[in-house]
Each structure stands twice: as C-alpha cells, then as structure tokens.
C-alpha cells in the first residue's frame, strides 16, 4: 500500500483547554523538524483537532516512520487513506480495496468503526458499520466479524473528507519538546546521563547540556564521545548546546587541598554549582543528572543529600529508582548504549580515592571546602567564562 498521508494521534495533552493549541503547534513544529531528516517534501497540518502529515513528493515509508517515532507527544502514527469524494459508494469501494491491499492474508476477524464528525452525512455510523462490514464479508469470505476483540479495527472517519485507517504504529508518547521550559543536563560519557536527558526531554523539556573535562587527563576522544552522545539524544530532544567546561585546575586544587576520600563528593558539589550558574545564564530552570540511589559511593542517599545542598534549582534525577539493567535497556532502545560503553576515561574516575566516603558528613565536607577558599571562586569564574559551546545536532 502506498500511503500519501499519516494521521498523528497525540498523547497526553499537558496543557488542556485553552492552551491546547500551544501543545498542538509545538507538536507540529517538532514533526516538521524531524521530517527534515527524511527525504521528500511533506505538509504538516492541523484540522479540527487532528494533525496530518501529507507527502507531497516521493518519500521512503520506513524513514518517515522512524523520524516520527522520535517525536515526543506522538502516541500513534496511523498511515491513512484520505478520500476527497465522500459518497457512500466511493467509501465502500475504497474500503474493500484498502483491505485487499493491506491484508493479503484474509484469515482475520475485523470490526468496522465509523465516526461521523460531519453530522450532515446522510448515513448514521451504525448503519455504515453494518453495510461496510457486509461489503467486506462479501468481497473476502475468509474474513469474519468479531465486535469484541477483532484482529483488525477498520476505522472510517467522515470529516471534511473520509479517512480510512487500521494500522496504528506506536509513537514515543510524552509531550512535545518546547512545551515545558528548559533544563541543564549534566552529561558525562557514561550510560546514565544520556538516558536521563532523554527522559526529561520526553516530558516536553528543552535540553542544554554541560560536560566537565580535565585535559590532558581526559582526551579529545573522550570529549568527542560526549558530543556524539549529545547528537544522539538530539534526535529526540532537538539540537543541544553543549557547554564544555575545563575542570582540570579545580580538580587538581581539590586534590591538593582536601582529604582524598572526599574528593569525589567535593568535585561533584562544584560540578553542580557550575552547572547551576551556566543554567541560570541560559534560562534553564532545573538541572538533570543520571544519578541512581546506591549505584556508586557518590550516589548513596547521604552523598546525594550532600551534593544536592549546594544547589537552589530543582535537580531532576529521573533514574533515581532504576536498576542498572533498566537504564541499559532504555540506552539500547534510544541508541546511546554502544557509544556510552566506549572505553574512554571520565574526569571523575581519574582522581578517585580507593575508599571514597559513602556517608559524607556535611560539616566535614564544608570544613574541607574551607581549604579551597583562597582560589576557588576565581577558578570557578574562570572555568565558566572559558566554557566552550558546541552545538550538537542530530546527524
Ligand atoms: P553516567 O553513566 O551518567 O556517567 P555514573 O554512573 O558514571 O553516571 P557518576 O560519575 O557518579 O555516575 O555521575 C553521576 C552524574 O553526574 C552523571 O549521571 C552525570 O549527570 C553527572 N556527571 C558525572 N560526570 C560528569 C562530567 N564529567 N560532566 C558532566 N556531568 C557529569
Ligand atoms: Mg560517569
């Protein structure tokens, strides 16, 4: 079957009522952006609460479905046959033809589900269901009707024209990016943080990211890996400005001045502080991390509390209660896993102590940080001023 159009059914409408159009317009915008990555020309339009994608040139079906499957806010993608002629004879013929093409194996049960949005249409839905059902049974005697749990639901909608569809391809759900503000993702080269970014973007949040590197202790390849991860997340979230912060001097200074078992926690506190400052100056209202309770020493409840106290912005930790395998499953699904497991060094791991504190005492940590007071504020300012921004777009 060669479809010219797709009916887009959207998921949850975050802002119902009067603001619904904002959600729809954002969804249309995101669909247009996503389709730029598929070959062909498309019209995306809204018509009485329905969104349609119409191909106006040749296109590749699989490519279009793949692109639409990455647009948050889409619940279902329905390849649809659109009839301009609405008379019932045309509808009958088109439906029989549709079934003939889409279901070459006719051993299935079906139900016709008509909807008459155009109330001036002369035949009532129930009558249409019955007559169209009979027509199919005559044309394809191997089929049978099951009104309770049919294999196939044949939808016939009478609107300005008539829509015929039965295939419903699941979209990613969520809400269109851009409907829920912006947050700053702390993106490392690991498995967790790209997944965390994906999950928050799925709720309609635009993402900026920050990556801390420590050259020459971390390599160009490690940095490139993070850029590559941002580009993969950008397939779903839209382009991500990645702020790359040189953390070397700060790390060395902490290493020199603070007890080694507290290094990771103190370092993480400075990461959060810097990320928050960069977030604030880029209009992001929250931070996102890939932390999960108990995964490593710096993610015990006490450690998380100690890291958290340096921030005033909300910190979103969508993976907080996930097991590693559950995170890996999502990473595989969204395509970040292969890149995440490339074995390049992370700036956190270079200076880690053999036995890091797992129940940090906040007063001790604050006291240790006093050892940094001479230079740390300047170092933080310099790191922020000199941050490099790389624009990461899906490829
Ligand atoms: P990930 O797999 O995301 O790297 P992780 O299990 O390695 O996480 P940590 O190294 O403790 O855990 O990092 C916890 C979180 O802190 C990460 O999920 C990420 O959000 C942030 N983070 C860690 N290192 C960096 C970094 N170099 N740059 C930016 N953010 C970082
Ligand atoms: Mg990490």
């Amino acid at each position: 079957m060669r479809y010219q159009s797709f009916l887009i059914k959207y998921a949850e409408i975050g802002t119902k009522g009067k603001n619904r159009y904002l959600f729809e317009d954002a969804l249309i915008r995101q669909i247009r952006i996503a389709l730029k990555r598929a070959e062909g020309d498309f019209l995306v339009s809204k018509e009485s609460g329905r969104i349609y994608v119409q191909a106006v040139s040749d296109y590749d079906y699989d490519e279009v479905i793949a692109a639409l499957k990455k647009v948050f806010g889409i619940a279902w993608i329905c390849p649809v046959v659109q009839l301009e002629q609405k008379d019932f004879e045309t509808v009958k013929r088109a439906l029989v033809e549709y079934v003939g093409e889409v279901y070459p194996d006719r051993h299935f049960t079906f139900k016709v589900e008509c909807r008459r949005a155009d109330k001036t249409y002369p035949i009532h839905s129930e009558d249409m269901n019955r007559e169209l059902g009979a027509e199919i049974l005559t044309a394809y005697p191997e089929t049978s009707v099951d009104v309770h749990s049919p294999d196939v639901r044949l939808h016939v909608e009478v609107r300005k024209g008539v829509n015929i569809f039965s295939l419903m391809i699941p979209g990613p759900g969520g809400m269109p990016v851009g409907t829920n503000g912006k947050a700053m993702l702390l993106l490392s080269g690991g498995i967790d943080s790209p997944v965390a970014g994906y999950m928050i973007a799925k709720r309609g949040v635009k993402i900026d990211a920050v990556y801390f590197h420590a050259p020459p202790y971390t390599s160009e390849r490690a940095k490139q890996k993070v850029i590559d991860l941002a580009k993969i997340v950008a397939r779903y979230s839209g382009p991500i400005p990645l702020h790359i912060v040189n953390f070397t001097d700060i790390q060395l200074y902490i290493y020199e001045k603070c007890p080694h078992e507290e290094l990771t926690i103190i370092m993480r506190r400075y990461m959060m502080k810097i990320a928050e400052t960069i977030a604030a100056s880029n209009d992001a209202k929250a931070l996102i991390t890939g932390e999960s309770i108990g995964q490593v020493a710096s993610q015990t409840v006490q450690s998380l509390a100690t890291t958290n106290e340096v921030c005033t912005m909300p910190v979103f930790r969508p993976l907080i209660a996930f097991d590693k395998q559950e995170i890996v499953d999502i990473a595989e699904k969204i395509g970040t896993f292969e890149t995440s497991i490339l074995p390049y060094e992370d700036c956190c791991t270079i200076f880690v102590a053999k036995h890091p504190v797992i129940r940090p005492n906040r007063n001790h940590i604050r006291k240790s940080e006093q050892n940094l007071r001479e230079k740390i504020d300047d170092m933080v300012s310099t790191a922020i001023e000199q941050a490099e921004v790389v624009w990461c777009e899906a490829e």
Side-chain angles (χ1 to χ4, degrees):
M1 185 82 189
R2 190 88 200 124
Y3 296 97
Q4 271 325 103
S5 308
F6 299 87
L7 170 62
I8 305 299
K9 298 202 172 204
Y10 39 70
E12 198 176 325
I13 298 184
T15 43
K16 295 193 181 70
K18 271 197 311 206
N19 288 333
R20 180 176 163 148
Y21 77 96
L22 291 174
F23 175 96
E24 293 168 339
D25 292 350
L27 184 53
I28 288 174
R29 241 186 340 266
Q30 295 305 319
I31 291 173
R32 288 194 178 124
I33 293 171
L35 287 173
K36 282 199 189 126
R37 288 204 299 283
E39 231 163 280
D41 298 318
F42 304 91
L43 275 179
V44 187
S45 60
K46 181 164 79 172
E47 197 191 291
S48 44
R50 282 291 169 96
I51 292 171
Y52 295 95
V53 172
Q54 282 164 313
V56 291
S57 71
D58 264 356
Y59 72 97
D60 184 289
Y61 178 86
D62 293 333
E63 224 175 58
V64 166
I65 298 294
L68 293 174
K69 277 181 144 217
K70 294 190 178 68
V71 180
F72 294 134
I74 296 183
W76 301 99
I77 306 153
C78 310
V80 62
V81 170
Q82 292 188 295
L83 308 176
E84 279 175 31
Q85 296 268 1
K86 284 164 71 166
D87 65 278
F88 199 47
E89 282 310 310
T90 306
V91 176
K92 273 190 203 164
R93 223 178 308 120
L95 186 65
V96 168
E97 207 176 293
Y98 173 88
V99 171
E101 277 199 47
V102 179
Y103 302 99
D105 175 4
R106 318 249 194 261
H107 293 87
F108 62 87
T109 59
F110 73 90
K111 178 184 183 188
V112 181
E113 295 193 350
C114 293
R115 265 182 67 182
R116 214 168 45 120
D118 169 9
K119 298 293 179 207
T120 66
Y121 199 68
I123 311 170
H124 286 270
S125 310
E126 280 309 315
D127 297 334
M128 286 176 76
N129 288 343
R130 212 168 322 112
E131 289 200 35
L132 291 171
E135 201 73 22
I136 298 212
L137 288 172
T138 311
Y140 310 113
E142 311 92 307
T143 62
S144 55
V145 171
D146 179 349
V147 291
H148 300 296
S149 55
D151 299 327
V152 175
R153 287 175 195 273
L154 294 165
H155 298 274
V156 178
E157 294 183 343
V158 184
R159 298 177 166 268
K160 213 164 83 189
V162 173
N163 290 336
I164 297 177
F165 64 94
S166 59
L167 303 177
M168 292 180 69
I169 302 158
M175 298 206 257
V177 170
T179 54
N180 241 325
K182 196 204 286 192
M184 182 66 71
L185 167 66
L186 282 88
L187 182 63
S188 69
I191 295 169
D192 307 326
S193 44
V195 173
Y198 166 89
M199 289 180 68
I200 297 299
K202 183 163 183 267
R203 298 304 300 165
V205 179
K206 206 186 152 321
I207 304 284
D208 270 26
V210 56
Y211 164 57
F212 297 90
H213 70 154
Y217 303 97
T218 62
S219 63
E220 270 304 302
R221 284 199 310 182
K223 169 174 150 185
Q224 188 57 45
K225 172 180 164 181
V226 176
I227 295 173
D228 293 342
L229 283 170
K231 287 180 180 174
I232 300 173
V233 176
R235 292 177 193 161
Y236 305 87
S237 68
I240 298 177
L242 174 65
H243 303 259
I244 300 178
V245 176
N246 187 326
F247 206 49
T248 313
D249 290 347
I250 295 174
Q251 258 185 318
L252 289 172
Y253 191 48
I254 300 173
Y255 193 70
E256 181 192 327
K257 299 281 187 188
C258 301
H260 287 186
E261 65 278 10
E262 293 174 2
L263 282 181
T264 308
I265 216 82
I266 294 175
M267 226 172 62
R268 294 204 44 72
R269 282 160 63 97
Y270 279 99
M271 278 190 186
M272 300 295 267
K273 273 193 212 180
I274 293 173
E276 186 175 59
T277 308
I278 298 176
S281 54
N282 286 277
D283 202 32
K285 303 285 189 254
L287 301 178
I288 308 165
T289 76
E291 289 160 312
S292 158
I293 298 172
Q295 205 186 74
V296 285
S298 59
Q299 296 177 29
T300 61
V301 169
Q302 292 91 332
S303 297
L304 288 166
T306 310
T307 316
N308 202 64
E309 72 166 8
V310 301
C311 300
T312 55
M313 274 187 192
V315 181
F316 298 152
R317 298 180 172 90
L319 309 180
I320 198 71
F322 279 41
D323 292 350
K324 193 71 187 189
Q325 189 56 47
E326 293 171 310
I327 302 170
V328 167
D329 289 346
I330 302 177
E332 283 179 333
K333 187 184 87 181
I334 66 173
T336 50
F337 185 71
E338 291 290 310
T339 306
S340 286
I341 57 173
L342 294 173
Y344 307 138
E345 66 293 324
D346 177 16
C347 77
C348 292
T349 51
I350 289 163
F351 299 93
V352 286
K354 265 215 183 78
H355 300 290
V357 281
I358 51 173
R359 277 181 219 90
N361 176 309
R362 290 187 208 188
N363 295 328
H364 285 180
I365 299 286
R366 287 185 202 138
K367 200 158 149 254
S368 304
E369 284 178 353
Q370 282 300 308
N371 302 342
L372 303 170
R373 65 180 176 272
E374 193 188 331
K375 291 197 204 155
I376 195 73
D377 289 347
D378 286 345
M379 289 178 133
V380 165
S381 307
T382 308
I384 292 169
E385 274 161 30
Q386 295 181 349
E388 169 198 4
V389 183
V390 176
W391 186 253
C392 301
E393 237 173 306
E395 282 171 351

